[in-house]
Amino acid sequence: MAETDPPVTDPPVTDTPATDTPSTDPPVTTREAQRTVHPHLVSPRLRWQIFAVTWIAYAGFYFVRQAFSVAKLGILDDPVLSHTLSERVLGVIDAVYLAAYAVGQFVWGAWSDRFGPRVVVITGMVGAIGAGLLMGASSALLVFGGAMVIQGLAQSAGWAPLCKNMGAFFPVAERGRVLGFWSTNYAFGGLAAPPFLGWLAYSVFDSWHAAFFCGSATLAVVLVLFVVFQCNAPEGEGSSEQVGDTKQRGSSLALYRKTLRDPMVLTLGAAYFLLKPARYAILLWGPVLVSQRLPNVDKVAATVIPVAFGAAGVVAPIAVGWVSDKLFQSRRVPACVLSLALLTVVLALFIPLTATDSVGVMVVLLAVIGLSVYAADSMISCVAAVDFGAEEGAGTAAGMVNGCGSVGAILGGLLPGFLSGSALFLLFSVAAALAGAVMIPHWNRRPRTAFGPAEETLATR
């Protein structure tokens, strides 16, 4: 019998001295190797579980956020409260909420990097539920104001951490399509919450207080689902993610300086600032605006009619993304400018056309406003992430643009309490026209070829 040669050992590839001790580790399976090299390949069921629970989570935030919009009808109809909580006072309370919301947007993203999305989102949900219960239990002005500060900070804990959560489970090649559909959550929340809360408050319980209690109860159910089914990242991915986050935190100040010097980022920020007031005015004051223009409809109908605005908003991001890719060869600005042009026209015609006292006309107008405003909203946010960040700065650019939009949203909550219908909608129309005008010089801008659709969709808000 021939003598068997001893096994040949490859030379070591590190500085660690080789040893003659054979390894006792079990062989690595294919699935374990995939988990190490590419966590996104593991467990499709878990990925879609995260899609569902995070989608429901952000939509759930709106059931507390929209409670104040629904409650305004009953508050303004109350002969006692209407003197203390007048339209102007309610507008100031909305502005307080939106200011806290804007501040929170700049804070919670960094906290989710440090502590993980789970802790931040759960904290936000608990704060939103508590603030909602507090507003339902009291009608004192100071309580309303303080609770709305808490509500604004709590509501802003949703978007950035949940985007981060989704990004951990879907690879770059899929995020553009997947997150395009995922981002319909905020339009759906604005669509479903007002009629649901309005029906409960005015048809079932006949009290505006119920809008806050029912909204908080709905989010409490969502909170339980989130606690049970959510996780921050696929198994084995946390350590590498933390290393990247540490590097990003170290250079964040330099990135902000660099981004502030980019004139296009400033242009997008200005456009978003001009666009957001119209969207938030209808989002926060929709039932009141409908009731003022259609005095013959009851409170439940006044909360149901603005559903047209939210329904169009669900379709708009998907439709405008397709138009941008297919008709304009991935140029985002043309689709955005055309959406703003349509928005300018329909806002200018809103008061004259609603003078017909027709419910059908009101529904059509709100649907067209929702389609155009949500289309422009998603496009402006997308352009910031795709075109302007180098790999390390896309999130910074998008965050700055979204921050500018949040400041503009403050006016959307404040102005309806101080201006009449004609002046309000003409002002929004002029602002939309200016937003389009500042973007026209960039008509032919295209996304940087270094990026795929992932960064584009992650920035949408």
Side-chain angles (χ1 to χ4, degrees):
M1 179 180 294
E3 184 176 352
T4 304
D5 293 334
V8 178
T9 305
D10 292 334
V13 295
T14 65
D15 295 333
T16 305
T19 63
D20 295 330
T21 304
S23 174
T24 59
D25 294 336
V28 178
T29 66
T30 301
R31 181 167 291 276
E32 288 170 341
Q34 286 179 340
R35 182 180 292 115
T36 302
V37 177
H38 200 330
H40 302 302
L41 297 177
V42 180
S43 185
R45 182 198 63 79
L46 179 59
R47 291 199 297 160
W48 292 109
Q49 174 181 311
I50 294 300
F51 179 100
V53 75
T54 53
W55 191 96
I56 293 170
Y58 197 69
F61 272 104
Y62 271 75
F63 283 81
V64 182
R65 182 185 302 194
Q66 293 293 95
F68 188 41
S69 175
V70 172
K72 286 174 183 173
L73 289 171
I75 292 172
L76 293 174
D77 223 20
D78 190 315
V80 177
L81 287 180
S82 59
H83 295 291
T84 304
L85 299 174
S86 63
E87 285 190 13
R88 291 191 175 188
V89 172
L90 295 180
V92 171
I93 292 174
D94 271 332
V96 168
Y97 158 79
L98 290 166
Y101 184 84
V103 171
Q105 278 197 326
F106 290 103
V107 174
W108 292 120
W111 279 44
S112 68
D113 288 338
R114 185 179 294 271
F115 301 109
R118 183 178 181 85
V119 172
V120 174
V121 174
I122 290 175
T123 301
M125 286 185 177
V126 171
I129 291 169
L133 293 174
L134 188 60
M135 294 183 74
S138 174
S139 57
L141 177 59
L142 291 179
V143 173
F144 262 48
M148 285 299 268
V149 171
I150 298 172
Q151 190 68 256
L153 293 172
Q155 289 285 335
S156 61
W159 183 257
L162 290 173
C163 281
K164 176 182 175 67
N165 202 174
M166 280 290 292
F169 283 87
F170 289 89
V172 170
E174 295 181 10
R175 287 184 203 162
R177 297 185 302 275
V178 171
L179 292 180
F181 284 93
W182 182 83
S183 64
T184 60
N185 49 22
Y186 67 94
F188 176 83
L191 160 70
F196 175 72
L197 296 177
W199 171 70
L200 288 173
Y202 300 118
S203 291
V204 177
F205 297 104
D206 194 24
S207 170
W208 61 264
H209 296 273
F212 293 107
F213 293 135
C214 294
S216 295
T218 303
L219 185 57
V221 173
V222 173
L223 172 59
V224 172
L225 294 175
F226 189 82
V227 170
V228 173
F229 294 108
Q230 186 270 350
C231 59
N232 282 339
E235 183 181 349
E237 193 176 335
S239 59
S240 61
E241 188 177 50
Q242 290 171 2
V243 171
D245 292 338
T246 301
K247 294 179 180 178
Q248 289 178 3
R249 284 196 294 268
S251 60
S252 59
L253 187 58
L255 282 175
Y256 268 102
R257 291 198 188 103
K258 179 180 177 181
T259 306
L260 278 172
R261 291 194 293 267
D262 191 319
M264 186 56 185
V265 171
L266 299 179
T267 298
L268 289 167
Y272 211 29
F273 171 83
L274 292 165
L275 171 66
K276 267 295 184 69
R279 178 187 154 202
Y280 267 78
I282 297 176
L283 195 65
L284 299 177
W285 288 85
V288 174
L289 294 172
V290 169
S291 181
Q292 289 174 344
R293 300 305 299 167
L294 303 176
N296 293 325
V297 302
D298 60 20
K299 292 185 178 66
V300 175
T303 60
V304 171
I305 290 173
V307 164
F309 176 78
V314 173
V315 177
I318 300 171
V320 77
W322 183 90
V323 169
S324 173
D325 284 340
K326 299 299 183 181
L327 300 185
F328 294 109
Q329 292 76 49
S330 296
R331 286 179 294 154
R332 314 303 179 191
V333 174
C336 181
V337 171
L338 293 176
S339 298
L340 288 167
L342 176 61
L343 180 62
T344 299
V345 174
V346 72
L347 287 173
L349 295 176
F350 183 84
I351 296 300
L353 292 179
T354 54
T356 60
D357 201 28
S358 168
V359 173
V361 171
M362 176 66 77
V363 169
V364 171
L365 286 173
L366 288 176
V368 176
I369 292 174
L371 184 68
S372 54
V373 77
Y374 277 102
D377 187 291
S378 62
M379 276 293 99
I380 290 176
S381 299
C382 290
V383 170
V386 177
D387 286 355
F388 310 103
E391 183 177 356
E392 77 281 4
T396 302
M400 292 180 64
V401 172
N402 282 319
C404 291
S406 296
V407 175
I410 296 173
L411 297 176
L414 182 65
L415 291 177
F418 289 83
L419 297 179
S420 64
S422 298
L424 181 68
F425 280 88
L426 285 176
L427 180 61
F428 289 157
S429 178
V430 171
L434 289 174
V438 299
M439 297 193 70
I440 287 177
H442 305 279
W443 183 273
N444 290 318
R445 294 284 296 238
R446 291 179 185 272
R448 295 179 188 269
T449 57
F451 293 148
E455 288 81 2
E456 173 179 0
T457 310
L458 274 171
T460 54
R461 170 67 182 83

